[in-house]
Amino acid sequence: MPTAFITGANKSIGFETARQLLQQGYHVYLGSRTLDNGLDAVAQLNAEGLTEVEAVQIDVTDQASIQAARAEIGSKTASLDVLINNAGINGGMPQSALKADISAFRRVFDTNYFGVVMVTQAFIDLLQQAPQPRIVMVSSSQASLTLNNDPSYQYYSHKGAVYHPSKSALNMYTIDLAYELRDTPLKVNAVDPGFIATDFNGHRGTGTVQEAGARLVKYAVLDERGPSGKFFSEEYNPATGDIPW
């Protein structure tokens, strides 16, 4: 049975992604910053008949917590087929380039960028033991430098001086990581789940968690012919998903 680990999976997009991977026959390690919330999420999935799921406590801003999660999962499986770096925060809105406090930048980057780097580095050995491992970086079309400088872009007027740079940095890490792994079976891509109605944006989003989950799962289960080192947004480009950096 293939295995997947999803950070921030106790609710919203992460939870729905876990559900869809379970439905496709994966054993899912459901990451949650608070273990009780993770256990509640597992109980809900179990009630739906989805039982190949376990809650794992992980705070992606805490190296000790990440290492503990790695040890726990490593004690149960010798390999990991999928890592989805989903945990993220927006830092609150509005976000002024001139007025946002530097502490907000540090807090958001701790989760959205440094946390992803630490988790990826901690789990890379398990991923490299899988025959066709995949890493999905949950990004945003608003991380695109090209689109954010284009007045015709749908969200051009929605600037977030704290959140957007954190995802742009994540995209650059995706490019570097994919290049470093270019001669291996591991594929890594940045994927925008879309503007989804969740707690993250006060339920102002126009898409559903089901749509978002399907977008992430698509790149988590790529076959050997699939892309790596790419940036996809099916909300922005429904035809091919390709999106400019």
Side-chain angles (χ1 to χ4, degrees), residues 129-192:
Q129 295 303 310
Q132 296 289 332
R134 306 289 179 255
I135 300 176
V136 175
M137 306 293 197
V138 179
S139 186
S140 168
S141 68
Q142 292 182 293
S144 168
L145 302 183
T146 301
L147 293 182
N148 270 291
N149 205 34
D150 179 357
S152 68
Y153 172 49
Q154 180 181 2
Y155 303 118
Y156 176 74
S157 63
H158 298 276
K159 303 300 187 208
V162 177
Y163 175 73
H164 295 172
S166 74
K167 291 297 187 178
S168 297
L170 174 64
N171 282 0
M172 191 70 241
Y173 181 67
T174 302
I175 292 171
D176 288 341
L177 182 63
Y179 178 80
E180 193 165 327
L181 296 166
R182 66 194 182 281
D183 295 325
T184 77
L186 202 156
K187 297 182 184 297
V188 52
N189 293 289
V191 181
D192 169 31

Side-chain angles (χ1 to χ4, degrees), residues 71-214:
E72 180 178 351
I73 293 174
S75 71
K76 298 174 180 179
T77 180
S79 64
L80 187 65
D81 296 277
V82 173
L83 170 63
I84 300 181
N85 283 304
N86 170 72
I89 61 174
N90 67 15
M93 294 291 177
Q95 295 176 357
S96 166
L98 292 175
K99 297 178 181 179
D101 192 89
I102 194 64
S103 64
F105 285 90
R106 291 192 174 110
R107 185 171 64 255
V108 171
F109 267 75
D110 272 348
T111 298
N112 295 359
Y113 181 66
F114 298 122
V116 170
V117 174
M118 291 192 294
V119 170
T120 302
Q121 290 180 346
F123 283 86
I124 192 65
D125 61 332
L126 285 180
L127 287 159
Q128 290 174 325
Q129 295 303 310
Q132 296 289 332
R134 306 289 179 255
I135 300 176
V136 175
M137 306 293 197
V138 179
S139 186
S140 168
S141 68
Q142 292 182 293
S144 168
L145 302 183
T146 301
L147 293 182
N148 270 291
N149 205 34
D150 179 357
S152 68
Y153 172 49
Q154 180 181 2
Y155 303 118
Y156 176 74
S157 63
H158 298 276
K159 303 300 187 208
V162 177
Y163 175 73
H164 295 172
S166 74
K167 291 297 187 178
S168 297
L170 174 64
N171 282 0
M172 191 70 241
Y173 181 67
T174 302
I175 292 171
D176 288 341
L177 182 63
Y179 178 80
E180 193 165 327
L181 296 166
R182 66 194 182 281
D183 295 325
T184 77
L186 202 156
K187 297 182 184 297
V188 52
N189 293 289
V191 181
D192 169 31
F195 186 37
I196 306 302
T198 66
D199 293 345
F200 191 84
N201 55 41
H203 291 270
R204 297 189 306 274
T206 54
T208 68
V209 292
Q210 289 78 17
E211 291 172 316

